[in-house]
Amino acid sequence: MLAVIGLLSTTFGVSVASALLPLISVELFAIGLVLNGTDIPWWLLALVIAAGQIAGKLLHFYAARGAIRLPGLFRRKVGEREQKGRWREWLEKFRSNCQQRPVWTGTVLLISAAASLPPFAAIAVIAGWAKVPLAMFVVTGFVGRFVRFGALAIAPGVVAGWL
């Protein structure tokens, strides 16, 4: 029992770290756990990873909202002009869509969290900047991440069953 708790704690830590640092792959970690033959049920593994991912992505979300003070390297300097380019226009349109069409916003968040298209790391930042409601971000992100990592956790068993 202690070994399982330790493994779940480690899994949570790796999932938070991977949410913050894209060079860390929680997908590879999860596949390694499953192929190693742990006794952790797929749904519990998916639940722990999804919770860790959302915990990490919340830091990006709150930083984009301005609720977390970033180091000087990542902040805009006082007096810098805001330039109007295509990227800025797209972001403004996305913010407007998020506020006017909550079903569309939830769908984009859910698809991004499950499929990472568009990348969920980018969507977490943009959702924070666009002032997406926290509950919508957490619920849709968690459900999408649970689906993603649940499918990943059961995939080796399904493939082995076919062979």
Side-chain angles (χ1 to χ4, degrees):
M1 182 66 169
L2 274 171
V4 171
I5 292 172
L7 203 51
L8 289 174
S9 298
T10 302
T11 302
F12 182 80
V14 170
S15 65
V16 171
S18 74
L20 297 173
L21 303 169
L23 296 176
I24 299 171
S25 175
V26 73
E27 287 86 355
L28 290 177
F29 182 82
I31 289 172
L33 279 177
V34 172
L35 291 177
N36 194 27
T38 61
D39 292 332
I40 300 172
W42 70 267
W43 59 268
L44 184 56
L45 186 63
L47 186 78
V48 168
I49 294 173
Q53 284 277 293
I54 295 303
K57 296 300 183 199
L58 277 173
L59 292 174
H60 294 292
F61 180 84
Y62 279 124
R65 275 197 172 180
I68 296 174
R69 186 169 170 84
L70 294 174
L73 176 67
F74 299 109
R75 286 190 309 237
R76 181 177 296 155
K77 293 179 182 31
V78 176
E80 273 189 11
R81 287 188 330 185
E82 292 208 9
Q83 298 180 0
K84 295 284 183 184
R86 275 191 279 169
W87 178 245
R88 183 72 176 178
E89 288 175 19
W90 183 87
L91 285 172
E92 291 293 342
K93 185 176 179 179
F94 185 84
R95 178 186 271 179
S96 175
N97 280 335
C98 287
Q99 293 169 353
Q100 295 171 2
R101 300 170 21 186
V103 173
W104 176 84
T105 303
T107 304
V108 168
L109 286 168
L110 185 64
I111 290 170
S112 176
S116 283
L117 290 172
F120 191 53
I123 291 297
V125 171
I126 294 169
W129 177 81
K131 307 274 191 267
V132 169
L134 177 64
M136 179 184 288
F137 176 76
V138 170
V139 170
T140 56
F142 183 83
V143 169
R145 285 304 192 187
F146 180 82
V147 167
R148 177 183 180 86
F149 292 107
L152 188 69
I154 64 170
V158 170
V159 170
W162 285 347
L163 301 176

